[in-house]
Amino acid sequence: MPPRTHTARTTALLLSAVIVAGGLTGCSLLSPTTCEGTDALMKELESLPLLSSPPPGATPPTKSDATFSECADDSGDAYLSASRSYVYAGTRQEVLDHFRRAAEADGWRYEPNPMPDMRQYNSCFTRGADGEAKELRVFFVKPDQITESYGPDAGREFATGAGFEVTVGADVNGAAGSCWG
């Protein structure tokens, strides 16, 4: 009987290590999800009105790709996102105020960044209960990041004011979460 206890203990320790390692690496062995069959949800995200409702005067960049959509399932939990980039000659605060008004009018709930000094750089909103939850993020793109990805002409275009990106995203299962957690 002692060898059986030893085997059971070894198995329990091994299983615990696998679960902990999965949690540390972001992988989920218990309920992995994939991008398979997510076309309808991606189309829903891409068609959300807030993606194409920037402040008056904001325009898509001419020197880089203004739209981006993806489903990432490399962590074991698939996440879909659709983004739009804009160049805007106004201020960051004008962009944040515009999207806060528009998002709240559309039923999104503002979640302030827990670090107050970072609120001038991004905003996040959530909508929907567990099973249909979504996130909306507005953040500002630094010209050097654009230059690195798209070249110097694109970087100069974003340096003219408040270049920003609007992204909507959702877990494939619609699991509710926090913007900052």
Side-chain angles (χ1 to χ4, degrees):
M1 206 54 113
R4 187 172 199 204
T5 304
H6 178 54
T7 303
R9 190 175 330 187
T10 301
T11 302
L13 286 172
L14 181 59
L15 183 57
S16 296
V18 167
I19 290 172
V20 168
L24 292 175
T25 62
C27 294
S28 172
L29 297 175
L30 302 177
S31 61
T33 58
T34 68
C35 293
E36 201 170 306
T38 60
D39 292 344
L41 180 56
M42 181 60 80
K43 284 182 193 263
E44 178 187 344
L45 292 176
E46 291 171 335
S47 67
L48 286 173
L50 285 172
L51 274 181
S52 55
S53 301
T59 59
T62 59
K63 307 289 184 189
S64 64
D65 220 357
T67 63
F68 180 77
S69 300
E70 76 170 340
C71 181
D73 62 0
D74 54 346
S75 72
D77 292 319
Y79 189 83
L80 286 85
S81 62
S83 301
R84 303 291 180 271
S85 298
Y86 294 95
V87 175
Y88 181 61
T91 67
R92 289 179 176 180
Q93 193 58 53
E94 290 169 341
V95 172
L96 293 173
D97 290 346
H98 167 81
F99 278 103
R100 185 158 183 186
R101 284 189 304 272
E104 288 177 344
D106 195 34
W108 294 82
R109 185 175 56 86
Y110 174 63
E111 286 195 19
N113 190 320
M115 298 186 318
D117 56 330
M118 295 302 292
R119 291 182 189 159
Q120 65 179 328
Y121 300 108
N122 55 50
S123 277
C124 189
F125 305 83
T126 56
R127 181 171 82 176
D130 203 22
E132 56 185 42
K134 295 173 183 60
E135 289 181 0
L136 168 73
R137 293 180 180 273
V138 178
F139 63 93
F140 297 94
V141 183
K142 295 178 180 178
D144 60 326
Q145 293 169 319
I146 296 297
T147 298
E148 188 176 304
S149 298
Y150 298 104
D153 288 342
R156 281 191 290 278
E157 185 176 24
F158 273 86
T160 62
F164 65 94
E165 188 171 288
V166 182
T167 302
V168 291
D171 179 271
V172 167
N173 296 323
S178 168
C179 290
W180 312 108

